[in-house]
Amino acid sequence: MRAKRIGVVGAGYVGLTTAACFAHLGHRVICADADAAKIEALKAGEIGLHEPGLGELVARNRERLEFVTDNASALSDVDFAFVCVPTPTGPDGAADLSAVEQVLSEVPAGTRVVLKSTVPVGTAAKHPGVVSNPEFLREGHAVEDFLRPQRIVIGAQDERQAHEVAELYAPTKAPAVLTDNTSAELVKYASNCFLALKLSYVNTLAELCEHLDADIDGVTEGMRLDDRIGASCLQPGPGWGGSCLPKDTLALLATAKAAGVDFATLEAAVSANRHQPQRVVDRIREELGTLHGAKIGLLGLTFKAGTNDLRDSPALVVARLLAQEGAELTAYDPCVGEDRPNISTRSTAEEAAAGTDMLVVLTEWPEFAELDWPELAGRMAGPRIFDTRNVLPEEKVREAGFHLIRTGR
């Protein structure tokens, strides 16, 4: 395939990954973002995102990759213009499309526009000629997911346009789903909201296990071997968060409401998720007797491992609730160095544990399973640990003298 000239508007997780990966596939890419400081950093080779492989990909393909601050450069004289700007949740729960609409208003006539931002179902239909190409990139695995995707979804009013966009992804050898714009938009929401349903289900199941004296690990092991269920999203935790699931569930609920559809199952999943951080706090209070004046060390602040993203992190919700009841908080996260409201961050897990009454694992960073448990126990006022993610080596932790509490036990 002949190399194309591709414009990308937006240099966040999706936009920067899209730009770097298309450059890696041999295309010439110009990536625009209104944040001048971000663009200057990218020109200097500074990524700012904790995304494995992305920095190396940008550095390796600099001769085919240009960064600018003006959208006109990314929208003019290109074969394809990819829109990768944020669509945050608005006051009514629906997606805020102001950034998308602004970019679309700047597109010169005749430019082939590919909408990769997650937008409400029906958005592309209002803009004739726009191709829908939703992204399915997991933070912490974005490069892998772009270059080795499970599927490519493309929606268009014109089948020829859909095939032209699909051809850009041909080197990945991924199956392409070619459909209409509206269905392509719905695929993204349907996928993310199904994952939210599954996560809320397993978290509520873990709570039930605690009441019935069952073991959630044994229960999910028996579930994941069923091909109809699968192994993903069966790990319990303090709730789901991040930049996608909270936003997308609310957006789909708003879409359903506007269409007159009662999406009770999704409403229940959102409600169950809001309950999870408080449930963690309740168990901590039960162990310590009171939270007022309690010294608690938090292991993990990001919404999941493999990223430095704190958006809608359930760990921060737990921290806020603990602080409201008078707890004194220290924390260690491999990707968070600055203090947060009511949280004093430390540079190591050992420093975060010093003098605390309890440690609470809130993010499933793999390195937490390799900590020096006798060292940690010796630094604490009371060797208790609550593993909300069930990622710690149970036998080693107990041998070090810890009282270990686990989710779903």
Side-chain angles (χ1 to χ4, degrees):
M1 180 186 67
R2 180 179 66 85
K4 303 294 185 181
R5 182 168 169 81
I6 296 174
V8 177
V9 180
Y13 277 98
V14 176
L16 185 56
T17 301
T18 298
C21 288
F22 273 141
H24 178 71
L25 294 178
H27 303 289
R28 299 198 65 84
V29 183
I30 183 165
C31 181
D33 196 285
D35 188 335
K38 179 187 293 185
I39 292 300
E40 287 305 311
L42 287 170
K43 288 180 177 179
E46 300 169 7
I47 301 301
L49 301 174
H50 182 81
E51 192 59 54
L54 184 55
E56 293 83 350
L57 212 60
V58 170
R60 197 182 311 144
N61 295 281
R62 287 307 299 268
E63 72 280 1
R64 290 190 294 270
L65 187 56
E66 181 182 356
F67 296 106
V68 299
T69 54
D70 62 302
N71 289 349
S73 298
L75 295 172
S76 304
D77 192 29
V78 294
D79 297 303
F80 299 91
F82 281 76
V83 181
C84 305
V85 295
T87 54
T89 301
D92 59 352
D96 180 354
L97 292 179
S98 56
V100 169
E101 297 291 351
Q102 178 62 40
V103 174
L104 293 180
S105 72
E106 300 172 2
V107 177
T111 301
R112 284 177 284 187
V113 180
V114 184
L115 191 52
K116 196 167 265 297
S117 298
T118 302
V119 296
V121 179
T123 298
K126 303 173 185 176
H127 301 275
V130 168
V131 176
S132 301
N133 177 213
E135 56 86 12
F136 300 96
L137 307 179
R138 298 168 297 162
E139 290 187 33
H141 302 272
V143 171
E144 175 189 355
D145 288 345
F146 192 103
L147 297 177
R148 287 176 286 279
Q150 293 179 327
R151 80 286 202 198
I152 303 296
V153 176
I154 301 169
Q157 298 166 334
D158 184 300
E159 186 175 349
R160 177 183 57 82
Q161 289 182 319
H163 281 286
E164 287 175 346
V165 174
E167 186 65 18
L168 296 175
Y169 295 96
T172 71
K173 297 181 169 42
V177 177
L178 306 185
T179 183
D180 59 274
N181 292 94
T182 303
S183 297
E185 291 166 340
L186 187 54
V187 168
K188 174 59 185 289
Y189 284 110
S191 298
N192 275 359
C193 291
F194 184 79
L195 299 180
L197 286 164
K198 199 172 179 183
L199 289 166
S200 285
Y201 179 83
V202 78
N203 283 335
T204 302
L205 193 62
E207 183 177 6
L208 181 62
C209 285
E210 293 165 12
H211 287 274
L212 299 179
D213 197 24
D215 181 356
I216 187 63
D217 291 344
V219 173
T220 55
E221 183 180 359
M223 293 171 62
R224 62 171 52 96
L225 295 175
D226 187 328
D227 290 340
R228 297 169 301 172
I229 297 173
S232 67
C233 297
L234 286 182
Q235 187 69 26
W240 40 264
S243 62
C244 292
L245 297 193
K247 174 175 68 74
D248 292 352
T249 49
L250 293 178
L252 188 57
L253 284 173
T255 298
K257 182 178 180 180
V261 174
D262 180 9
F263 212 148
T265 50
L266 187 55
E267 288 180 346
V270 172
S271 177
N273 190 57
R274 288 173 178 154
H275 165 65
Q276 296 309 312
Q278 185 61 60
R279 199 170 77 81
V280 171
V281 171
D282 291 343
R283 289 199 73 186
I284 296 172
R285 188 193 310 105
E286 180 181 345
E287 286 294 326
L288 297 179
T290 180
L291 293 175
H292 185 73
K295 296 183 185 334
I296 299 173
L298 309 178
L299 296 181
L301 295 176
T302 55
F303 85 94
K304 72 169 191 174
T307 178
N308 58 353
D309 199 341
L310 295 167
R311 287 176 289 181
D312 278 307
S313 172
L316 294 184
V317 179
V318 170
R320 175 173 53 79
L321 294 173
L322 290 170
Q324 286 175 354
E325 294 197 38
E328 299 176 21
L329 305 176
T330 55
Y332 167 68
D333 187 290
C335 279
V336 180
E338 70 278 6
D339 288 345
R340 306 294 303 175
N342 302 306
I343 307 172
S344 297
T345 60
R346 299 289 188 265
S347 58
T348 66
E350 288 78 12
E351 291 176 4
T356 58
D357 302 301
M358 176 181 281
L359 286 174
V360 183
V361 177
L362 292 170
T363 309
E364 71 285 13
W365 287 100
E367 70 178 64
F368 291 162
E370 305 298 327
L371 293 172
D372 187 333
W373 300 109
E375 168 73 10
L376 285 174
R379 286 174 173 256
M380 296 177 64
R384 304 181 188 89
I385 191 162
F386 182 8
D387 182 6
T388 72
R389 298 282 189 170
N390 291 358
V391 294
L392 303 184
E394 184 173 356
E395 186 175 338
K396 289 183 179 180
V397 172
R398 294 193 191 279
E399 286 180 352
F402 276 97
H403 171 57
L404 175 64
I405 307 124
R406 291 164 59 88
T407 296
R409 289 278 184 91

